[in-house]
Amino acid sequence: MAGRGDRPDEPAMRSRSGPVRAGSGRLPAPAAPIAPLSWDYAPAPESREIVTIAPEYGLFVDGEFAPAADGAAFPTVNPATEEPLSRVALAGEADVDRAVAAARRAHELVWGPMPGSERAKYLYRIARILQERSRELAVLESIDNGKPIKETRDVDIPLAAAHFFYYAGWADKLGYAGFGPDPRPIGVAGQVIPWNFPLLMAAWKLAPALAAGNTCVLKPAETTPLSALALAGICQQAGLPPGVVNVLTGAGRTGAALVAHRGVDKVAFTGSTQVGVEIARALAGTGRKLTLELGGKAANIVFDDAPVDQAIEGIVNGIFFNQGHVCCAGSRLLVQESVAEQVTERLRWRLGTLRLGDPLDKNTDIGAINSREQLDKITELAAAGEAEGAHRWSPPCELPARGYWFAPTVFTGVSQSHRIAREEIFGPVLSVLTFRTPDEAVAKANNTQYGLSAGIWTEKGSRILWMAQRMRAGVVWANTYNRFDPASPFGGYKESGYGREGGRHGLGAYLDV
Ligand code: NAD
């Protein structure tokens, strides 16, 4: 992922005393005391004019947009301003029936029998349209989600297109993917996704399912329906046969009706562990296939021989990218005791340079929290951190008067029993713990109910391998963090879920093998 500080030639960071080169491998003198933010960049807003948001949207079923059967609808708002953006149809059980029936027909009559080489053409077409309309989609995603435009522009939209390109390449080569000479699709996939990477999550789900010959009913999150509806429009634009992709907007009840529907052969869910458990319970004994991508509480582990400046960038990228609304976020920093003071001091300095504000401003590092509900959850857990005795710190930071905002926050003096070290906060809050030996780092990193990801920062290759073998985590990054690639499998251990998405593994989840 092209996150902040990924390149060794990252532009100079700014302090009041002038620019300080990142990546020098040497600790520059920290600006002491930590300088207040100097908002010395002129605003550089991306134009909102490029995207047209309709006052209302229907459900996308059988190739057409139409209102919910009972006419129900709900608003979606801009979390940075609380301004209502549109009203979106709220799918009920009758709509779920209709969408699943359309997907079944499309699977049996069109998409299932279609040669893989023909399916690939549609996926390539969708990928190219995503690229062509990338600026518009980036703005739309920032407005509906609250995330900074530089992230939607550089990460969400390019990666969504990359998933369609990647899986288009597999569509006519399924017989060579290691699942036998003629692997068959499963049928109709019911897919439920969260709000943190709305378009990207839709692409993660749809692209492998379609490449493998399945048809889909997708339910986006209730706070971020707009980019999934835009993707439905792109399916129309690409001439995708009706019923191959259906998009049902709605909240938890719509999702529950979809996953419980008897016409759905395979369920793919990304979201909270709590809902994942409910879905696993609902599907138990039905024989239907299920993959779950759930929560995380990853350890980002910094050894005393780590290149400190790069590690600082990796820590910042690990927890403050996308406001920390990332399942694999490095929310627990484990730092070796001998360098803990240096690292936290340098981190504080770096946080003082982050810019929080208008998601459409190209200079913005930290955007809005996605919803009032999520803001309340973050606020509650941060308060618990203080109440349990950890030391809370945020850089001086002015929060906009309207919208949902939370300043980047670091807790030091955290112990493993604290809620902020155990529970997923899903916000811009970092808990710092220390360790003395590699064994202790392993024990603390694995001391969690989750197992989605981990980061290791050290200059010793042998230590990276030693640590990676011992991490109970689906993804382990070494001297980098939050990097994603469509060819690479992604998924969890323990309560982070089961099954893998991405790469060849992601195809297997949609084949009857
Ligand atoms: P959530 O579980 O509340 O909601 C996720 C989706 O499920 C939404 O579309 C929601 O409407 C739907 N839903 C809610 N209740 C449902 C039910 N009973 N049956 C079916 N669907 C239901 O999660 P969230 O708050 O939207 O997302 C944040 C969570 O997602 C975090 O825990 C995060 O770690 C996780 N997540 C995991 C990954 C991953 O790949 N492992 C990626 C992104 C987010």
PDB file of all heavy atoms in Angstrom, residues 192-196 201 204 219-222 250-252 255-256 259 269-273 275 278-279 293-296 327 424 426 452 490, ligand 1:
ATOM      1  N   VAL A 192     -21.538  -9.525   2.551  1.00  0.00           N
ATOM      2  CA  VAL A 192     -21.849  -8.397   3.445  1.00  0.00           C
ATOM      3  C   VAL A 192     -20.538  -7.727   3.831  1.00  0.00           C
ATOM      4  O   VAL A 192     -19.592  -8.392   4.271  1.00  0.00           O
ATOM      5  CB  VAL A 192     -22.592  -8.899   4.702  1.00  0.00           C
ATOM      6  CG1 VAL A 192     -22.904  -7.748   5.644  1.00  0.00           C
ATOM      7  CG2 VAL A 192     -23.883  -9.614   4.298  1.00  0.00           C
ATOM      8  N   ILE A 193     -20.475  -6.405   3.656  1.00  0.00           N
ATOM      9  CA  ILE A 193     -19.195  -5.694   3.851  1.00  0.00           C
ATOM     10  C   ILE A 193     -19.342  -4.511   4.818  1.00  0.00           C
ATOM     11  O   ILE A 193     -20.443  -3.991   5.009  1.00  0.00           O
ATOM     12  CB  ILE A 193     -18.612  -5.211   2.502  1.00  0.00           C
ATOM     13  CG1 ILE A 193     -19.617  -4.339   1.740  1.00  0.00           C
ATOM     14  CG2 ILE A 193     -18.196  -6.411   1.656  1.00  0.00           C
ATOM     15  CD1 ILE A 193     -19.040  -3.688   0.496  1.00  0.00           C
ATOM     16  N   PRO A 194     -18.227  -4.059   5.396  1.00  0.00           N
ATOM     17  CA  PRO A 194     -18.251  -2.935   6.339  1.00  0.00           C
ATOM     18  C   PRO A 194     -18.002  -1.593   5.643  1.00  0.00           C
ATOM     19  O   PRO A 194     -17.870  -1.530   4.422  1.00  0.00           O
ATOM     20  CB  PRO A 194     -17.105  -3.281   7.281  1.00  0.00           C
ATOM     21  CG  PRO A 194     -16.101  -3.949   6.402  1.00  0.00           C
ATOM     22  CD  PRO A 194     -16.879  -4.648   5.314  1.00  0.00           C
ATOM     23  N   TRP A 195     -17.848  -0.557   6.463  1.00  0.00           N
ATOM     24  CA  TRP A 195     -17.793   0.804   5.936  1.00  0.00           C
ATOM     25  C   TRP A 195     -16.381   1.372   5.828  1.00  0.00           C
ATOM     26  O   TRP A 195     -16.202   2.491   5.366  1.00  0.00           O
ATOM     27  CB  TRP A 195     -18.608   1.739   6.846  1.00  0.00           C
ATOM     28  CG  TRP A 195     -18.366   1.506   8.315  1.00  0.00           C
ATOM     29  CD1 TRP A 195     -19.159   0.751   9.142  1.00  0.00           C
ATOM     30  CD2 TRP A 195     -17.286   1.974   9.112  1.00  0.00           C
ATOM     31  NE1 TRP A 195     -18.623   0.733  10.416  1.00  0.00           N
ATOM     32  CE2 TRP A 195     -17.477   1.475  10.427  1.00  0.00           C
ATOM     33  CE3 TRP A 195     -16.163   2.772   8.863  1.00  0.00           C
ATOM     34  CZ2 TRP A 195     -16.586   1.744  11.480  1.00  0.00           C
ATOM     35  CZ3 TRP A 195     -15.281   3.029   9.903  1.00  0.00           C
ATOM     36  CH2 TRP A 195     -15.505   2.523  11.188  1.00  0.00           C
ATOM     37  N   ASN A 196     -15.374   0.631   6.255  1.00  0.00           N
ATOM     38  CA  ASN A 196     -14.049   1.275   6.339  1.00  0.00           C
ATOM     39  C   ASN A 196     -13.344   1.425   4.996  1.00  0.00           C
ATOM     40  O   ASN A 196     -12.617   2.386   4.784  1.00  0.00           O
ATOM     41  CB  ASN A 196     -13.166   0.570   7.363  1.00  0.00           C
ATOM     42  CG  ASN A 196     -12.984  -0.891   7.084  1.00  0.00           C
ATOM     43  OD1 ASN A 196     -13.754  -1.497   6.347  1.00  0.00           O
ATOM     44  ND2 ASN A 196     -11.958  -1.464   7.661  1.00  0.00           N
ATOM     45  N   MET A 201     -13.690  -3.059  -0.421  1.00  0.00           N
ATOM     46  CA  MET A 201     -14.272  -4.297   0.113  1.00  0.00           C
ATOM     47  C   MET A 201     -15.231  -4.919  -0.905  1.00  0.00           C
ATOM     48  O   MET A 201     -15.291  -6.150  -1.048  1.00  0.00           O
ATOM     49  CB  MET A 201     -15.030  -4.013   1.415  1.00  0.00           C
ATOM     50  CG  MET A 201     -14.160  -3.729   2.599  1.00  0.00           C
ATOM     51  SD  MET A 201     -13.210  -5.176   3.074  1.00  0.00           S
ATOM     52  CE  MET A 201     -11.568  -4.570   2.874  1.00  0.00           C
ATOM     53  N   TRP A 204     -13.024  -6.635  -3.391  1.00  0.00           N
ATOM     54  CA  TRP A 204     -12.466  -7.864  -2.788  1.00  0.00           C
ATOM     55  C   TRP A 204     -13.460  -9.006  -2.879  1.00  0.00           C
ATOM     56  O   TRP A 204     -13.107 -10.159  -3.082  1.00  0.00           O
ATOM     57  CB  TRP A 204     -12.180  -7.641  -1.293  1.00  0.00           C
ATOM     58  CG  TRP A 204     -10.875  -7.046  -0.939  1.00  0.00           C
ATOM     59  CD1 TRP A 204     -10.234  -6.051  -1.600  1.00  0.00           C
ATOM     60  CD2 TRP A 204     -10.052  -7.392   0.186  1.00  0.00           C
ATOM     61  NE1 TRP A 204      -9.068  -5.749  -0.948  1.00  0.00           N
ATOM     62  CE2 TRP A 204      -8.933  -6.547   0.144  1.00  0.00           C
ATOM     63  CE3 TRP A 204     -10.174  -8.307   1.232  1.00  0.00           C
ATOM     64  CZ2 TRP A 204      -7.922  -6.598   1.103  1.00  0.00           C
ATOM     65  CZ3 TRP A 204      -9.170  -8.359   2.186  1.00  0.00           C
ATOM     66  CH2 TRP A 204      -8.049  -7.512   2.114  1.00  0.00           C
ATOM     67  N   LYS A 219     -24.284  -6.656   0.052  1.00  0.00           N
ATOM     68  CA  LYS A 219     -24.892  -5.659   0.934  1.00  0.00           C
ATOM     69  C   LYS A 219     -23.804  -4.763   1.527  1.00  0.00           C
ATOM     70  O   LYS A 219     -23.028  -5.187   2.369  1.00  0.00           O
ATOM     71  CB  LYS A 219     -25.688  -6.305   2.072  1.00  0.00           C
ATOM     72  CG  LYS A 219     -26.601  -5.229   2.675  1.00  0.00           C
ATOM     73  CD  LYS A 219     -26.986  -5.410   4.095  1.00  0.00           C
ATOM     74  CE  LYS A 219     -25.957  -5.053   5.104  1.00  0.00           C
ATOM     75  NZ  LYS A 219     -25.669  -3.627   5.242  1.00  0.00           N
ATOM     76  N   PRO A 220     -23.731  -3.508   1.065  1.00  0.00           N
ATOM     77  CA  PRO A 220     -22.762  -2.584   1.651  1.00  0.00           C
ATOM     78  C   PRO A 220     -23.208  -2.122   3.034  1.00  0.00           C
ATOM     79  O   PRO A 220     -24.355  -2.345   3.435  1.00  0.00           O
ATOM     80  CB  PRO A 220     -22.748  -1.418   0.667  1.00  0.00           C
ATOM     81  CG  PRO A 220     -24.056  -1.477  -0.041  1.00  0.00           C
ATOM     82  CD  PRO A 220     -24.528  -2.902  -0.012  1.00  0.00           C
ATOM     83  N   ALA A 221     -22.308  -1.471   3.761  1.00  0.00           N
ATOM     84  CA  ALA A 221     -22.643  -0.970   5.096  1.00  0.00           C
ATOM     85  C   ALA A 221     -23.614   0.204   4.997  1.00  0.00           C
ATOM     86  O   ALA A 221     -23.609   0.946   4.017  1.00  0.00           O
ATOM     87  CB  ALA A 221     -21.380  -0.549   5.819  1.00  0.00           C
ATOM     88  N   GLU A 222     -24.409   0.380   6.034  1.00  0.00           N
ATOM     89  CA  GLU A 222     -25.468   1.398   5.995  1.00  0.00           C
ATOM     90  C   GLU A 222     -24.931   2.829   5.980  1.00  0.00           C
ATOM     91  O   GLU A 222     -25.607   3.734   5.516  1.00  0.00           O
ATOM     92  CB  GLU A 222     -26.445   1.208   7.158  1.00  0.00           C
ATOM     93  CG  GLU A 222     -25.828   1.110   8.537  1.00  0.00           C
ATOM     94  CD  GLU A 222     -25.453  -0.336   8.920  1.00  0.00           C
ATOM     95  OE1 GLU A 222     -24.954  -1.058   8.042  1.00  0.00           O
ATOM     96  OE2 GLU A 222     -25.658  -0.699  10.096  1.00  0.00           O
ATOM     97  N   GLY A 250     -28.965  -1.346   2.977  1.00  0.00           N
ATOM     98  CA  GLY A 250     -29.741  -1.551   4.196  1.00  0.00           C
ATOM     99  C   GLY A 250     -28.804  -1.729   5.370  1.00  0.00           C
ATOM    100  O   GLY A 250     -27.576  -1.602   5.220  1.00  0.00           O
ATOM    101  N   ALA A 251     -29.365  -2.047   6.518  1.00  0.00           N
ATOM    102  CA  ALA A 251     -28.553  -2.183   7.726  1.00  0.00           C
ATOM    103  C   ALA A 251     -28.448  -3.662   8.117  1.00  0.00           C
ATOM    104  O   ALA A 251     -28.550  -4.553   7.271  1.00  0.00           O
ATOM    105  CB  ALA A 251     -29.152  -1.335   8.840  1.00  0.00           C
ATOM    106  N   GLY A 252     -28.265  -3.911   9.424  1.00  0.00           N
ATOM    107  CA  GLY A 252     -28.026  -5.274   9.893  1.00  0.00           C
ATOM    108  C   GLY A 252     -29.143  -6.251   9.542  1.00  0.00           C
ATOM    109  O   GLY A 252     -28.884  -7.403   9.209  1.00  0.00           O
ATOM    110  N   GLY A 255     -28.745  -7.450   6.091  1.00  0.00           N
ATOM    111  CA  GLY A 255     -27.625  -8.398   6.038  1.00  0.00           C
ATOM    112  C   GLY A 255     -28.027  -9.756   6.599  1.00  0.00           C
ATOM    113  O   GLY A 255     -27.718 -10.803   6.012  1.00  0.00           O
ATOM    114  N   ALA A 256     -28.755  -9.730   7.715  1.00  0.00           N
ATOM    115  CA  ALA A 256     -29.161 -10.985   8.354  1.00  0.00           C
ATOM    116  C   ALA A 256     -30.105 -11.765   7.435  1.00  0.00           C
ATOM    117  O   ALA A 256     -29.997 -12.992   7.300  1.00  0.00           O
ATOM    118  CB  ALA A 256     -29.827 -10.688   9.699  1.00  0.00           C
ATOM    119  N   VAL A 259     -27.912 -13.339   4.544  1.00  0.00           N
ATOM    120  CA  VAL A 259     -27.072 -14.504   4.858  1.00  0.00           C
ATOM    121  C   VAL A 259     -27.915 -15.726   5.240  1.00  0.00           C
ATOM    122  O   VAL A 259     -27.498 -16.858   5.045  1.00  0.00           O
ATOM    123  CB  VAL A 259     -26.022 -14.200   5.964  1.00  0.00           C
ATOM    124  CG1 VAL A 259     -25.100 -13.066   5.540  1.00  0.00           C
ATOM    125  CG2 VAL A 259     -26.657 -13.898   7.303  1.00  0.00           C
ATOM    126  N   PHE A 269     -18.451 -12.696   4.625  1.00  0.00           N
ATOM    127  CA  PHE A 269     -18.744 -11.569   5.522  1.00  0.00           C
ATOM    128  C   PHE A 269     -17.446 -10.905   5.958  1.00  0.00           C
ATOM    129  O   PHE A 269     -16.495 -11.584   6.350  1.00  0.00           O
ATOM    130  CB  PHE A 269     -19.491 -12.070   6.764  1.00  0.00           C
ATOM    131  CG  PHE A 269     -19.685 -11.008   7.816  1.00  0.00           C
ATOM    132  CD1 PHE A 269     -20.639 -10.012   7.649  1.00  0.00           C
ATOM    133  CD2 PHE A 269     -18.900 -10.991   8.961  1.00  0.00           C
ATOM    134  CE1 PHE A 269     -20.805  -9.009   8.613  1.00  0.00           C
ATOM    135  CE2 PHE A 269     -19.064  -9.999   9.935  1.00  0.00           C
ATOM    136  CZ  PHE A 269     -20.024  -9.008   9.757  1.00  0.00           C
ATOM    137  N   THR A 270     -17.413  -9.585   5.906  1.00  0.00           N
ATOM    138  CA  THR A 270     -16.343  -8.813   6.533  1.00  0.00           C
ATOM    139  C   THR A 270     -17.008  -7.838   7.486  1.00  0.00           C
ATOM    140  O   THR A 270     -17.892  -7.087   7.086  1.00  0.00           O
ATOM    141  CB  THR A 270     -15.499  -8.055   5.488  1.00  0.00           C
ATOM    142  OG1 THR A 270     -14.870  -9.007   4.638  1.00  0.00           O
ATOM    143  CG2 THR A 270     -14.425  -7.227   6.154  1.00  0.00           C
ATOM    144  N   GLY A 271     -16.567  -7.862   8.733  1.00  0.00           N
ATOM    145  CA  GLY A 271     -17.156  -6.968   9.722  1.00  0.00           C
ATOM    146  C   GLY A 271     -16.709  -7.358  11.117  1.00  0.00           C
ATOM    147  O   GLY A 271     -15.648  -7.968  11.296  1.00  0.00           O
ATOM    148  N   SER A 272     -17.532  -7.049  12.081  1.00  0.00           N
ATOM    149  CA  SER A 272     -17.134  -7.257  13.474  1.00  0.00           C
ATOM    150  C   SER A 272     -17.186  -8.736  13.860  1.00  0.00           C
ATOM    151  O   SER A 272     -17.971  -9.508  13.293  1.00  0.00           O
ATOM    152  CB  SER A 272     -18.045  -6.452  14.392  1.00  0.00           C
ATOM    153  OG  SER A 272     -19.370  -6.892  14.224  1.00  0.00           O
ATOM    154  N   THR A 273     -16.407  -9.094  14.841  1.00  0.00           N
ATOM    155  CA  THR A 273     -16.397 -10.476  15.328  1.00  0.00           C
ATOM    156  C   THR A 273     -17.766 -10.848  15.889  1.00  0.00           C
ATOM    157  O   THR A 273     -18.259 -11.956  15.677  1.00  0.00           O
ATOM    158  CB  THR A 273     -15.289 -10.640  16.386  1.00  0.00           C
ATOM    159  OG1 THR A 273     -14.036 -10.444  15.715  1.00  0.00           O
ATOM    160  CG2 THR A 273     -15.308 -12.022  17.017  1.00  0.00           C
ATOM    161  N   VAL A 275     -20.806  -9.847  14.990  1.00  0.00           N
ATOM    162  CA  VAL A 275     -21.753 -10.215  13.934  1.00  0.00           C
ATOM    163  C   VAL A 275     -21.285 -11.497  13.229  1.00  0.00           C
ATOM    164  O   VAL A 275     -22.100 -12.351  12.870  1.00  0.00           O
ATOM    165  CB  VAL A 275     -21.946  -9.051  12.936  1.00  0.00           C
ATOM    166  CG1 VAL A 275     -22.791  -9.486  11.753  1.00  0.00           C
ATOM    167  CG2 VAL A 275     -22.595  -7.866  13.632  1.00  0.00           C
ATOM    168  N   GLU A 278     -22.593 -14.385  15.042  1.00  0.00           N
ATOM    169  CA  GLU A 278     -24.036 -14.588  14.778  1.00  0.00           C
ATOM    170  C   GLU A 278     -24.245 -15.284  13.434  1.00  0.00           C
ATOM    171  O   GLU A 278     -25.093 -16.178  13.307  1.00  0.00           O
ATOM    172  CB  GLU A 278     -24.758 -13.237  14.724  1.00  0.00           C
ATOM    173  CG  GLU A 278     -25.033 -12.622  16.074  1.00  0.00           C
ATOM    174  CD  GLU A 278     -25.669 -11.236  15.930  1.00  0.00           C
ATOM    175  OE1 GLU A 278     -26.516 -11.038  15.038  1.00  0.00           O
ATOM    176  OE2 GLU A 278     -25.288 -10.339  16.713  1.00  0.00           O
ATOM    177  N   ILE A 279     -23.472 -14.865  12.433  1.00  0.00           N
ATOM    178  CA  ILE A 279     -23.643 -15.448  11.096  1.00  0.00           C
ATOM    179  C   ILE A 279     -23.200 -16.917  11.112  1.00  0.00           C
ATOM    180  O   ILE A 279     -23.880 -17.785  10.544  1.00  0.00           O
ATOM    181  CB  ILE A 279     -22.859 -14.627  10.049  1.00  0.00           C
ATOM    182  CG1 ILE A 279     -23.501 -13.246   9.910  1.00  0.00           C
ATOM    183  CG2 ILE A 279     -22.805 -15.346   8.705  1.00  0.00           C
ATOM    184  CD1 ILE A 279     -22.780 -12.299   8.982  1.00  0.00           C
ATOM    185  N   GLU A 293     -14.124 -12.510   7.657  1.00  0.00           N
ATOM    186  CA  GLU A 293     -12.976 -11.607   7.856  1.00  0.00           C
ATOM    187  C   GLU A 293     -13.394 -10.649   8.963  1.00  0.00           C
ATOM    188  O   GLU A 293     -14.220  -9.770   8.744  1.00  0.00           O
ATOM    189  CB  GLU A 293     -12.684 -10.811   6.575  1.00  0.00           C
ATOM    190  CG  GLU A 293     -12.335 -11.658   5.377  1.00  0.00           C
ATOM    191  CD  GLU A 293     -10.876 -12.059   5.344  1.00  0.00           C
ATOM    192  OE1 GLU A 293     -10.103 -11.589   6.192  1.00  0.00           O
ATOM    193  OE2 GLU A 293     -10.519 -12.867   4.481  1.00  0.00           O
ATOM    194  N   LEU A 294     -12.824 -10.810  10.146  1.00  0.00           N
ATOM    195  CA  LEU A 294     -13.373 -10.100  11.319  1.00  0.00           C
ATOM    196  C   LEU A 294     -12.365  -9.103  11.900  1.00  0.00           C
ATOM    197  O   LEU A 294     -11.554  -8.550  11.193  1.00  0.00           O
ATOM    198  CB  LEU A 294     -13.833 -11.142  12.340  1.00  0.00           C
ATOM    199  CG  LEU A 294     -14.763 -12.228  11.757  1.00  0.00           C
ATOM    200  CD1 LEU A 294     -15.105 -13.268  12.802  1.00  0.00           C
ATOM    201  CD2 LEU A 294     -16.020 -11.622  11.149  1.00  0.00           C
ATOM    202  N   GLY A 295     -12.446  -8.881  13.181  1.00  0.00           N
ATOM    203  CA  GLY A 295     -11.671  -7.804  13.799  1.00  0.00           C
ATOM    204  C   GLY A 295     -10.205  -8.150  14.024  1.00  0.00           C
ATOM    205  O   GLY A 295      -9.748  -9.249  13.716  1.00  0.00           O
ATOM    206  N   GLY A 296      -9.471  -7.187  14.573  1.00  0.00           N
ATOM    207  CA  GLY A 296      -8.048  -7.399  14.839  1.00  0.00           C
ATOM    208  C   GLY A 296      -7.551  -6.500  15.963  1.00  0.00           C
ATOM    209  O   GLY A 296      -8.223  -5.532  16.363  1.00  0.00           O
ATOM    210  N   CYS A 327      -9.001  -3.099   9.947  1.00  0.00           N
ATOM    211  CA  CYS A 327      -9.038  -4.332  10.743  1.00  0.00           C
ATOM    212  C   CYS A 327      -7.641  -4.793  11.119  1.00  0.00           C
ATOM    213  O   CYS A 327      -7.434  -5.351  12.186  1.00  0.00           O
ATOM    214  CB  CYS A 327      -9.761  -5.413   9.961  1.00  0.00           C
ATOM    215  SG  CYS A 327      -9.160  -5.546   8.267  1.00  0.00           S
ATOM    216  N   GLU A 424     -10.675  -4.128  20.296  1.00  0.00           N
ATOM    217  CA  GLU A 424     -10.466  -3.397  19.046  1.00  0.00           C
ATOM    218  C   GLU A 424     -11.146  -2.032  19.154  1.00  0.00           C
ATOM    219  O   GLU A 424     -12.353  -1.954  19.387  1.00  0.00           O
ATOM    220  CB  GLU A 424     -11.074  -4.190  17.879  1.00  0.00           C
ATOM    221  CG  GLU A 424     -10.792  -3.544  16.553  1.00  0.00           C
ATOM    222  CD  GLU A 424     -11.463  -4.271  15.389  1.00  0.00           C
ATOM    223  OE1 GLU A 424     -12.649  -4.621  15.515  1.00  0.00           O
ATOM    224  OE2 GLU A 424     -10.798  -4.476  14.363  1.00  0.00           O
ATOM    225  N   PHE A 426     -10.740   0.480  16.696  1.00  0.00           N
ATOM    226  CA  PHE A 426     -11.134   0.846  15.339  1.00  0.00           C
ATOM    227  C   PHE A 426     -11.197   2.369  15.192  1.00  0.00           C
ATOM    228  O   PHE A 426     -12.135   2.936  14.670  1.00  0.00           O
ATOM    229  CB  PHE A 426     -12.476   0.206  14.982  1.00  0.00           C
ATOM    230  CG  PHE A 426     -12.524  -0.313  13.571  1.00  0.00           C
ATOM    231  CD1 PHE A 426     -11.616  -1.265  13.127  1.00  0.00           C
ATOM    232  CD2 PHE A 426     -13.484   0.140  12.674  1.00  0.00           C
ATOM    233  CE1 PHE A 426     -11.666  -1.749  11.823  1.00  0.00           C
ATOM    234  CE2 PHE A 426     -13.542  -0.339  11.369  1.00  0.00           C
ATOM    235  CZ  PHE A 426     -12.632  -1.279  10.953  1.00  0.00           C
ATOM    236  N   LEU A 452      -4.999 -11.262  13.125  1.00  0.00           N
ATOM    237  CA  LEU A 452      -5.118 -10.880  11.718  1.00  0.00           C
ATOM    238  C   LEU A 452      -3.778 -10.464  11.124  1.00  0.00           C
ATOM    239  O   LEU A 452      -3.443 -10.825  10.001  1.00  0.00           O
ATOM    240  CB  LEU A 452      -6.137  -9.738  11.604  1.00  0.00           C
ATOM    241  CG  LEU A 452      -6.698  -9.444  10.227  1.00  0.00           C
ATOM    242  CD1 LEU A 452      -7.287 -10.697   9.592  1.00  0.00           C
ATOM    243  CD2 LEU A 452      -7.758  -8.357  10.312  1.00  0.00           C
ATOM    244  N   PHE A 490      -5.166 -12.857   2.349  1.00  0.00           N
ATOM    245  CA  PHE A 490      -5.375 -12.045   3.545  1.00  0.00           C
ATOM    246  C   PHE A 490      -6.459 -12.721   4.377  1.00  0.00           C
ATOM    247  O   PHE A 490      -7.471 -13.153   3.855  1.00  0.00           O
ATOM    248  CB  PHE A 490      -5.845 -10.647   3.121  1.00  0.00           C
ATOM    249  CG  PHE A 490      -5.995  -9.678   4.253  1.00  0.00           C
ATOM    250  CD1 PHE A 490      -4.932  -8.878   4.650  1.00  0.00           C
ATOM    251  CD2 PHE A 490      -7.199  -9.559   4.942  1.00  0.00           C
ATOM    252  CE1 PHE A 490      -5.069  -7.987   5.700  1.00  0.00           C
ATOM    253  CE2 PHE A 490      -7.332  -8.666   5.991  1.00  0.00           C
ATOM    254  CZ  PHE A 490      -6.267  -7.882   6.364  1.00  0.00           C
TER     255      PHE A 490
HETATM  256  P1  NAD B   1     -20.458  -4.709  11.643  1.00  0.00           P
HETATM  257  O1  NAD B   1     -20.230  -6.155  11.886  1.00  0.00           O
HETATM  258  O2  NAD B   1     -21.310  -3.957  12.575  1.00  0.00           O
HETATM  259  O3  NAD B   1     -21.113  -4.501  10.200  1.00  0.00           O
HETATM  260  C1  NAD B   1     -20.543  -5.051   9.035  1.00  0.00           C
HETATM  261  C2  NAD B   1     -21.639  -5.301   8.029  1.00  0.00           C
HETATM  262  O4  NAD B   1     -22.512  -6.292   8.547  1.00  0.00           O
HETATM  263  C3  NAD B   1     -22.511  -4.097   7.734  1.00  0.00           C
HETATM  264  O5  NAD B   1     -22.845  -4.116   6.363  1.00  0.00           O
HETATM  265  C4  NAD B   1     -23.740  -4.331   8.591  1.00  0.00           C
HETATM  266  O6  NAD B   1     -24.907  -3.722   8.104  1.00  0.00           O
HETATM  267  C5  NAD B   1     -23.854  -5.836   8.512  1.00  0.00           C
HETATM  268  N1  NAD B   1     -24.555  -6.469   9.623  1.00  0.00           N
HETATM  269  C6  NAD B   1     -24.771  -5.994  10.874  1.00  0.00           C
HETATM  270  N2  NAD B   1     -25.436  -6.912  11.623  1.00  0.00           N
HETATM  271  C7  NAD B   1     -25.643  -7.978  10.820  1.00  0.00           C
HETATM  272  C8  NAD B   1     -26.240  -9.254  11.007  1.00  0.00           C
HETATM  273  N3  NAD B   1     -26.780  -9.604  12.174  1.00  0.00           N
HETATM  274  N4  NAD B   1     -26.243 -10.126   9.973  1.00  0.00           N
HETATM  275  C9  NAD B   1     -25.681  -9.810   8.789  1.00  0.00           C
HETATM  276  N5  NAD B   1     -25.104  -8.618   8.552  1.00  0.00           N
HETATM  277  C10 NAD B   1     -25.076  -7.711   9.551  1.00  0.00           C
HETATM  278  O7  NAD B   1     -19.015  -4.093  11.497  1.00  0.00           O
HETATM  279  P2  NAD B   1     -18.621  -2.605  11.170  1.00  0.00           P
HETATM  280  O8  NAD B   1     -18.703  -1.826  12.411  1.00  0.00           O
HETATM  281  O9  NAD B   1     -19.364  -2.119   9.977  1.00  0.00           O
HETATM  282  O10 NAD B   1     -17.120  -2.794  10.689  1.00  0.00           O
HETATM  283  C11 NAD B   1     -16.064  -2.773  11.536  1.00  0.00           C
HETATM  284  C12 NAD B   1     -15.588  -4.160  11.838  1.00  0.00           C
HETATM  285  O11 NAD B   1     -15.224  -4.831  10.628  1.00  0.00           O
HETATM  286  C13 NAD B   1     -14.342  -4.148  12.678  1.00  0.00           C
HETATM  287  O12 NAD B   1     -14.430  -5.114  13.686  1.00  0.00           O
HETATM  288  C14 NAD B   1     -13.241  -4.517  11.691  1.00  0.00           C
HETATM  289  O13 NAD B   1     -12.113  -5.087  12.253  1.00  0.00           O
HETATM  290  C15 NAD B   1     -13.943  -5.435  10.778  1.00  0.00           C
HETATM  291  N6  NAD B   1     -13.253  -5.511   9.480  1.00  0.00           N
HETATM  292  C16 NAD B   1     -12.553  -6.646   9.183  1.00  0.00           C
HETATM  293  C17 NAD B   1     -11.852  -6.743   7.992  1.00  0.00           C
HETATM  294  C18 NAD B   1     -11.082  -7.981   7.648  1.00  0.00           C
HETATM  295  O14 NAD B   1     -10.714  -8.153   6.478  1.00  0.00           O
HETATM  296  N7  NAD B   1     -10.818  -8.863   8.587  1.00  0.00           N
HETATM  297  C19 NAD B   1     -11.863  -5.683   7.092  1.00  0.00           C
HETATM  298  C20 NAD B   1     -12.581  -4.532   7.430  1.00  0.00           C
HETATM  299  C21 NAD B   1     -13.282  -4.466   8.638  1.00  0.00           C
END
